[in-house]
PDB file of all heavy atoms in Angstrom:
ATOM      1  N   LEU A  14      52.257 155.304  73.231  1.00  0.00           N
ATOM      2  CA  LEU A  14      52.650 153.904  73.187  1.00  0.00           C
ATOM      3  C   LEU A  14      52.233 153.402  71.824  1.00  0.00           C
ATOM      4  O   LEU A  14      51.082 153.556  71.416  1.00  0.00           O
ATOM      5  CB  LEU A  14      51.924 153.135  74.298  1.00  0.00           C
ATOM      6  CG  LEU A  14      52.257 151.664  74.435  1.00  0.00           C
ATOM      7  CD1 LEU A  14      53.708 151.481  74.855  1.00  0.00           C
ATOM      8  CD2 LEU A  14      51.333 151.032  75.458  1.00  0.00           C
ATOM      9  N   ARG A  15      53.174 152.822  71.093  1.00  0.00           N
ATOM     10  CA  ARG A  15      52.906 152.422  69.713  1.00  0.00           C
ATOM     11  C   ARG A  15      53.396 150.990  69.505  1.00  0.00           C
ATOM     12  O   ARG A  15      54.422 150.595  70.042  1.00  0.00           O
ATOM     13  CB  ARG A  15      53.657 153.376  68.787  1.00  0.00           C
ATOM     14  CG  ARG A  15      53.537 153.053  67.324  1.00  0.00           C
ATOM     15  CD  ARG A  15      54.305 154.054  66.487  1.00  0.00           C
ATOM     16  NE  ARG A  15      53.495 155.266  66.351  1.00  0.00           N
ATOM     17  CZ  ARG A  15      53.955 156.437  65.956  1.00  0.00           C
ATOM     18  NH1 ARG A  15      55.218 156.593  65.667  1.00  0.00           N
ATOM     19  NH2 ARG A  15      53.159 157.469  65.837  1.00  0.00           N
ATOM     20  N   GLU A  16      52.661 150.242  68.694  1.00  0.00           N
ATOM     21  CA  GLU A  16      53.102 148.909  68.315  1.00  0.00           C
ATOM     22  C   GLU A  16      53.932 149.001  67.042  1.00  0.00           C
ATOM     23  O   GLU A  16      53.500 149.553  66.040  1.00  0.00           O
ATOM     24  CB  GLU A  16      51.918 147.979  68.088  1.00  0.00           C
ATOM     25  CG  GLU A  16      52.337 146.562  67.800  1.00  0.00           C
ATOM     26  CD  GLU A  16      51.188 145.602  67.595  1.00  0.00           C
ATOM     27  OE1 GLU A  16      50.012 146.030  67.656  1.00  0.00           O
ATOM     28  OE2 GLU A  16      51.468 144.428  67.346  1.00  0.00           O
ATOM     29  N   LEU A  17      55.140 148.475  67.114  1.00  0.00           N
ATOM     30  CA  LEU A  17      56.038 148.458  65.966  1.00  0.00           C
ATOM     31  C   LEU A  17      56.589 147.051  65.805  1.00  0.00           C
ATOM     32  O   LEU A  17      57.260 146.544  66.689  1.00  0.00           O
ATOM     33  CB  LEU A  17      57.197 149.438  66.153  1.00  0.00           C
ATOM     34  CG  LEU A  17      56.849 150.916  66.254  1.00  0.00           C
ATOM     35  CD1 LEU A  17      58.083 151.722  66.620  1.00  0.00           C
ATOM     36  CD2 LEU A  17      56.268 151.420  64.941  1.00  0.00           C
ATOM     37  N   GLY A  18      56.297 146.432  64.706  1.00  0.00           N
ATOM     38  CA  GLY A  18      56.831 145.104  64.439  1.00  0.00           C
ATOM     39  C   GLY A  18      56.449 144.067  65.472  1.00  0.00           C
ATOM     40  O   GLY A  18      57.247 143.196  65.796  1.00  0.00           O
ATOM     41  N   GLY A  19      55.256 144.171  66.016  1.00  0.00           N
ATOM     42  CA  GLY A  19      54.778 143.195  66.997  1.00  0.00           C
ATOM     43  C   GLY A  19      55.205 143.474  68.428  1.00  0.00           C
ATOM     44  O   GLY A  19      54.856 142.718  69.328  1.00  0.00           O
ATOM     45  N   GLU A  20      55.955 144.532  68.658  1.00  0.00           N
ATOM     46  CA  GLU A  20      56.354 144.912  70.003  1.00  0.00           C
ATOM     47  C   GLU A  20      55.848 146.314  70.293  1.00  0.00           C
ATOM     48  O   GLU A  20      55.675 147.121  69.387  1.00  0.00           O
ATOM     49  CB  GLU A  20      57.879 144.883  70.148  1.00  0.00           C
ATOM     50  CG  GLU A  20      58.469 143.503  70.034  1.00  0.00           C
ATOM     51  CD  GLU A  20      59.947 143.494  70.362  1.00  0.00           C
ATOM     52  OE1 GLU A  20      60.443 144.441  70.988  1.00  0.00           O
ATOM     53  OE2 GLU A  20      60.593 142.516  69.983  1.00  0.00           O
ATOM     54  N   PHE A  21      55.631 146.601  71.555  1.00  0.00           N
ATOM     55  CA  PHE A  21      55.192 147.931  71.950  1.00  0.00           C
ATOM     56  C   PHE A  21      56.388 148.743  72.411  1.00  0.00           C
ATOM     57  O   PHE A  21      57.292 148.239  73.062  1.00  0.00           O
ATOM     58  CB  PHE A  21      54.154 147.838  73.070  1.00  0.00           C
ATOM     59  CG  PHE A  21      52.814 147.391  72.594  1.00  0.00           C
ATOM     60  CD1 PHE A  21      52.504 146.040  72.520  1.00  0.00           C
ATOM     61  CD2 PHE A  21      51.865 148.306  72.188  1.00  0.00           C
ATOM     62  CE1 PHE A  21      51.275 145.623  72.060  1.00  0.00           C
ATOM     63  CE2 PHE A  21      50.633 147.903  71.731  1.00  0.00           C
ATOM     64  CZ  PHE A  21      50.335 146.555  71.666  1.00  0.00           C
ATOM     65  N   CYS A  22      56.379 150.019  72.042  1.00  0.00           N
ATOM     66  CA  CYS A  22      57.450 150.928  72.431  1.00  0.00           C
ATOM     67  C   CYS A  22      56.869 152.326  72.582  1.00  0.00           C
ATOM     68  O   CYS A  22      55.759 152.607  72.141  1.00  0.00           O
ATOM     69  CB  CYS A  22      58.579 150.912  71.418  1.00  0.00           C
ATOM     70  SG  CYS A  22      58.088 151.495  69.803  1.00  0.00           S
ATOM     71  N   LEU A  23      57.646 153.185  73.222  1.00  0.00           N
ATOM     72  CA  LEU A  23      57.252 154.583  73.351  1.00  0.00           C
ATOM     73  C   LEU A  23      57.797 155.339  72.167  1.00  0.00           C
ATOM     74  O   LEU A  23      58.933 155.116  71.741  1.00  0.00           O
ATOM     75  CB  LEU A  23      57.774 155.171  74.653  1.00  0.00           C
ATOM     76  CG  LEU A  23      57.249 154.504  75.911  1.00  0.00           C
ATOM     77  CD1 LEU A  23      57.849 155.160  77.135  1.00  0.00           C
ATOM     78  CD2 LEU A  23      55.740 154.548  75.961  1.00  0.00           C
ATOM     79  N   ALA A  24      56.989 156.229  71.635  1.00  0.00           N
ATOM     80  CA  ALA A  24      57.376 156.985  70.448  1.00  0.00           C
ATOM     81  C   ALA A  24      56.832 158.396  70.568  1.00  0.00           C
ATOM     82  O   ALA A  24      55.938 158.680  71.361  1.00  0.00           O
ATOM     83  CB  ALA A  24      56.838 156.313  69.189  1.00  0.00           C
ATOM     84  N   TYR A  25      57.400 159.265  69.755  1.00  0.00           N
ATOM     85  CA  TYR A  25      56.868 160.614  69.663  1.00  0.00           C
ATOM     86  C   TYR A  25      55.847 160.608  68.538  1.00  0.00           C
ATOM     87  O   TYR A  25      56.133 160.175  67.424  1.00  0.00           O
ATOM     88  CB  TYR A  25      57.992 161.631  69.403  1.00  0.00           C
ATOM     89  CG  TYR A  25      57.529 163.047  69.589  1.00  0.00           C
ATOM     90  CD1 TYR A  25      57.178 163.506  70.851  1.00  0.00           C
ATOM     91  CD2 TYR A  25      57.402 163.906  68.521  1.00  0.00           C
ATOM     92  CE1 TYR A  25      56.729 164.802  71.043  1.00  0.00           C
ATOM     93  CE2 TYR A  25      56.957 165.214  68.701  1.00  0.00           C
ATOM     94  CZ  TYR A  25      56.623 165.646  69.965  1.00  0.00           C
ATOM     95  OH  TYR A  25      56.159 166.923  70.146  1.00  0.00           O
ATOM     96  N   GLU A  26      54.671 161.054  68.832  1.00  0.00           N
ATOM     97  CA  GLU A  26      53.536 160.992  67.915  1.00  0.00           C
ATOM     98  C   GLU A  26      53.831 161.590  66.540  1.00  0.00           C
ATOM     99  O   GLU A  26      53.399 161.075  65.524  1.00  0.00           O
ATOM    100  CB  GLU A  26      52.348 161.708  68.568  1.00  0.00           C
ATOM    101  CG  GLU A  26      51.046 161.517  67.899  1.00  0.00           C
ATOM    102  CD  GLU A  26      49.930 162.133  68.727  1.00  0.00           C
ATOM    103  OE1 GLU A  26      50.146 163.130  69.425  1.00  0.00           O
ATOM    104  OE2 GLU A  26      48.821 161.585  68.661  1.00  0.00           O
ATOM    105  N   ALA A  27      54.611 162.652  66.488  1.00  0.00           N
ATOM    106  CA  ALA A  27      54.875 163.348  65.228  1.00  0.00           C
ATOM    107  C   ALA A  27      56.013 162.718  64.421  1.00  0.00           C
ATOM    108  O   ALA A  27      56.302 163.167  63.322  1.00  0.00           O
ATOM    109  CB  ALA A  27      55.209 164.810  65.499  1.00  0.00           C
ATOM    110  N   ASP A  28      56.624 161.663  64.942  1.00  0.00           N
ATOM    111  CA  ASP A  28      57.726 161.004  64.239  1.00  0.00           C
ATOM    112  C   ASP A  28      57.198 160.243  63.036  1.00  0.00           C
ATOM    113  O   ASP A  28      56.539 159.219  63.178  1.00  0.00           O
ATOM    114  CB  ASP A  28      58.467 160.059  65.181  1.00  0.00           C
ATOM    115  CG  ASP A  28      59.647 159.359  64.523  1.00  0.00           C
ATOM    116  OD1 ASP A  28      59.966 159.660  63.356  1.00  0.00           O
ATOM    117  OD2 ASP A  28      60.254 158.520  65.195  1.00  0.00           O
ATOM    118  N   THR A  29      57.466 160.743  61.858  1.00  0.00           N
ATOM    119  CA  THR A  29      56.960 160.103  60.632  1.00  0.00           C
ATOM    120  C   THR A  29      57.758 158.864  60.250  1.00  0.00           C
ATOM    121  O   THR A  29      57.345 158.108  59.379  1.00  0.00           O
ATOM    122  CB  THR A  29      56.996 161.093  59.445  1.00  0.00           C
ATOM    123  OG1 THR A  29      58.343 161.562  59.290  1.00  0.00           O
ATOM    124  CG2 THR A  29      56.051 162.256  59.690  1.00  0.00           C
ATOM    125  N   ASN A  30      58.887 158.635  60.941  1.00  0.00           N
ATOM    126  CA  ASN A  30      59.696 157.438  60.671  1.00  0.00           C
ATOM    127  C   ASN A  30      59.296 156.247  61.539  1.00  0.00           C
ATOM    128  O   ASN A  30      59.866 155.170  61.416  1.00  0.00           O
ATOM    129  CB  ASN A  30      61.184 157.737  60.872  1.00  0.00           C
ATOM    130  CG  ASN A  30      61.692 158.719  59.860  1.00  0.00           C
ATOM    131  OD1 ASN A  30      61.346 158.642  58.682  1.00  0.00           O
ATOM    132  ND2 ASN A  30      62.513 159.664  60.303  1.00  0.00           N
ATOM    133  N   ASN A  31      58.325 156.454  62.440  1.00  0.00           N
ATOM    134  CA  ASN A  31      57.826 155.387  63.314  1.00  0.00           C
ATOM    135  C   ASN A  31      58.946 154.676  64.073  1.00  0.00           C
ATOM    136  O   ASN A  31      59.038 153.462  64.063  1.00  0.00           O
ATOM    137  CB  ASN A  31      57.008 154.361  62.521  1.00  0.00           C
ATOM    138  CG  ASN A  31      55.688 154.922  62.090  1.00  0.00           C
ATOM    139  OD1 ASN A  31      55.120 155.771  62.754  1.00  0.00           O
ATOM    140  ND2 ASN A  31      55.197 154.466  60.961  1.00  0.00           N
ATOM    141  N   ARG A  32      59.770 155.446  64.759  1.00  0.00           N
ATOM    142  CA  ARG A  32      60.858 154.857  65.526  1.00  0.00           C
ATOM    143  C   ARG A  32      60.559 154.913  67.014  1.00  0.00           C
ATOM    144  O   ARG A  32      59.876 155.799  67.488  1.00  0.00           O
ATOM    145  CB  ARG A  32      62.155 155.628  65.271  1.00  0.00           C
ATOM    146  CG  ARG A  32      62.659 155.506  63.853  1.00  0.00           C
ATOM    147  CD  ARG A  32      63.846 156.393  63.647  1.00  0.00           C
ATOM    148  NE  ARG A  32      63.374 157.780  63.834  1.00  0.00           N
ATOM    149  CZ  ARG A  32      64.156 158.812  64.017  1.00  0.00           C
ATOM    150  NH1 ARG A  32      65.437 158.669  64.057  1.00  0.00           N
ATOM    151  NH2 ARG A  32      63.650 160.029  64.165  1.00  0.00           N
ATOM    152  N   ALA A  33      61.122 153.951  67.740  1.00  0.00           N
ATOM    153  CA  ALA A  33      61.054 153.982  69.198  1.00  0.00           C
ATOM    154  C   ALA A  33      61.987 155.079  69.692  1.00  0.00           C
ATOM    155  O   ALA A  33      62.946 155.455  69.011  1.00  0.00           O
ATOM    156  CB  ALA A  33      61.478 152.642  69.772  1.00  0.00           C
ATOM    157  N   LEU A  34      61.715 155.584  70.875  1.00  0.00           N
ATOM    158  CA  LEU A  34      62.585 156.598  71.475  1.00  0.00           C
ATOM    159  C   LEU A  34      63.921 155.979  71.833  1.00  0.00           C
ATOM    160  O   LEU A  34      63.985 154.827  72.286  1.00  0.00           O
ATOM    161  CB  LEU A  34      61.929 157.168  72.734  1.00  0.00           C
ATOM    162  CG  LEU A  34      60.638 157.939  72.525  1.00  0.00           C
ATOM    163  CD1 LEU A  34      60.028 158.303  73.870  1.00  0.00           C
ATOM    164  CD2 LEU A  34      60.888 159.194  71.714  1.00  0.00           C
ATOM    165  N   ASP A  35      64.988 156.727  71.654  1.00  0.00           N
ATOM    166  CA  ASP A  35      66.316 156.251  72.043  1.00  0.00           C
ATOM    167  C   ASP A  35      66.322 155.936  73.536  1.00  0.00           C
ATOM    168  O   ASP A  35      65.816 156.713  74.340  1.00  0.00           O
ATOM    169  CB  ASP A  35      67.380 157.309  71.749  1.00  0.00           C
ATOM    170  CG  ASP A  35      67.619 157.484  70.260  1.00  0.00           C
ATOM    171  OD1 ASP A  35      67.291 156.564  69.494  1.00  0.00           O
ATOM    172  OD2 ASP A  35      68.122 158.551  69.869  1.00  0.00           O
TER     173      ASP A  35
END
Side-chain angles (χ1 to χ4, degrees):
L14 182 66
R15 177 180 280 164
E16 185 179 1
L17 296 173
E20 294 188 18
F21 285 88
C22 63
L23 298 179
Y25 192 68
E26 192 173 31
D28 181 5
T29 57
N30 294 319
N31 289 330
R32 294 174 296 165
L34 295 174
D35 290 339

